[in-house]
Amino acid sequence: MPTLGVNIDHVATVRQARRTDEPDPVWAAVEAQLAGASCITFHLREDRRHIIDRDVPLLKGVVNVKLNMEMAIAPDVVAIAVETRPDQCCLVPEKREEVTTEGGLDVVKMRDKLKGVVSKLRDVGSVCSAFIEPDPAQIEAAAALGFEVVELWTGGYAHAANPEARVIELEKLDRGIAFAEGCGLRVHGGHGLTYRNIGPVAGLSGFEEFNIGHSIMARAMFVGVRTATAEMVALLDQHGSKE
Ligand code: PXP
């Protein structure tokens, strides 16, 4: 049964719109945990546009489910991860001009740069996850680099233009899961998942965790973080593969 990681970055985005102290993403992490989230995910971006350094030790202190830090390989961010020792570090691509993470990390191209970072993070006890597209070459490279988990980019599925394209993307994810498992990797998924599109992807056998941010926080504006999280947990219980 897949579990839910709630990405709290959007709460910090609202706070940073005014550079004030509310709403606090740490409060959101507590609410999400109370509703049954199995993981709290945050992304400390190089430009600190949402999560800021102050949030990181506070999250480490209050999160008693899995803490997942999304990060690029910027040296100052890696240093904070090493000091914080999150349960899991998910390495993602990052571009300053993007609105959100726009696709998977090119593990093949970045092999040399990633190697040292993965071993540093593993040395402090963090599980390393690579956010990649469901492409065999990327999956194979992630396994060879010592990643233990791959988070497959579900954006292709989420943004598919029509039902036929969506089926093709779902099949790509299904093959990606099988290939990753064959390489000895555990498989997570994330990006663009919503209350409306989670069903079919949750039904694929092999996804252990989904990291979801935008849709949960958008709903939380009206029903609160606790209810929004509980509703997504219920959908995973309903549609999640029992295999
Ligand atoms: N997983 C990763 C690695 C991401 O970068 C993001 C976006 O921050 C998410 C999951 C969540 O995506 P969304 O906000 O579209 O649910």
Side-chain angles (χ1 to χ4, degrees), residues 5 7 9-10 41-43 45 50 68 70-71 90-93 100-103 129-132 151-154 158-159 189-194 210-216:
N7 182 315
D9 295 346
H10 281 25
T41 293
F42 68 98
H43 184 174
R45 294 185 74 104
H50 40 55
N68 176 34
E70 286 180 10
M71 53 186 279
C90 181
L91 299 191
V92 302
T100 181
T101 317
E102 279 168 355
S129 168
F131 183 53
I132 57 173
E151 180 170 324
L152 298 182
W153 178 72
T154 50
H159 306 312
H191 194 80
L193 298 175
T194 69
F210 291 108
N211 284 297
I212 307 179
H214 183 86
S215 189
I216 291 177

Side-chain angles (χ1 to χ4, degrees), residues 8-9 11-13 15-17 19-26 42-59 69 80 84:
I8 55 165
D9 295 346
V11 179
T13 299
R15 176 190 62 190
Q16 293 312 103
R19 305 256 190 283
T20 177
D21 60 358
E22 62 182 3
D24 194 327
V26 180
F42 68 98
H43 184 174
L44 183 68
R45 294 185 74 104
E46 253 185 288
D47 61 9
R48 308 299 199 267
R49 73 169 74 153
H50 40 55
I51 296 293
I52 55 175
D53 294 31
R54 162 267 184 204
D55 300 328
V56 179
L58 290 173
L59 288 168
M69 177 168 171
I80 291 172
T84 307

Side-chain angles (χ1 to χ4, degrees), residues 3 10 22 31-32 35 37 45 61 74 88 97 101 121 123 127 131 148 167 176 179 197 206 215 217-218 224:
T3 58
H10 281 25
E22 62 182 3
E31 288 289 306
R45 294 185 74 104
Q88 181 172 285
E97 62 277 15
T101 317
L121 296 172
D123 282 352
V127 168
F131 183 53
E148 293 139 291
V167 169
F179 191 81
N197 69 20
S215 189
M217 291 309 160

Side-chain angles (χ1 to χ4, degrees), residues 43 54 76 80 82 95 98 129 133 136 173 182 193 204 211 222:
H43 184 174
R54 162 267 184 204
D76 67 313
I80 291 172
V82 165
K95 289 193 226 116
E98 70 192 357
S129 168
E133 294 183 23
L173 287 167
L193 298 175
L204 296 178
N211 284 297
F222 301 103

Side-chain angles (χ1 to χ4, degrees), residues 62-163:
V62 304
V63 171
N64 53 20
V65 292
K66 185 204 282 188
L67 184 64
N68 176 34
M69 177 168 171
E70 286 180 10
M71 53 186 279
I73 54 168
D76 67 313
V77 175
V78 173
I80 291 172
V82 165
E83 195 188 325
T84 307
R85 302 167 181 237
D87 301 296
Q88 181 172 285
C89 291
C90 181
L91 299 191
V92 302
E94 206 175 292
K95 289 193 226 116
R96 277 179 190 257
E97 62 277 15
E98 70 192 357
V99 177
T100 181
T101 317
E102 279 168 355
L105 191 66
D106 191 340
V107 177
V108 174
K109 210 157 128 195
M110 293 179 66
R111 191 176 276 152
D112 293 342
K113 288 187 184 151
L114 288 167
K115 204 168 193 164
V117 175
V118 172
S119 71
K120 260 190 204 164
L121 296 172
R122 287 189 62 161
D123 282 352
V124 298
S126 294
V127 168
C128 282
S129 168
F131 183 53
I132 57 173
E133 294 183 23
D135 165 9
Q138 296 293 340
I139 295 168
E140 215 161 32
L145 275 167
F147 284 97
E148 293 139 291
V149 176
V150 284
E151 180 170 324
L152 298 182
W153 178 72
T154 50
Y157 162 78
H159 306 312
N162 52 56

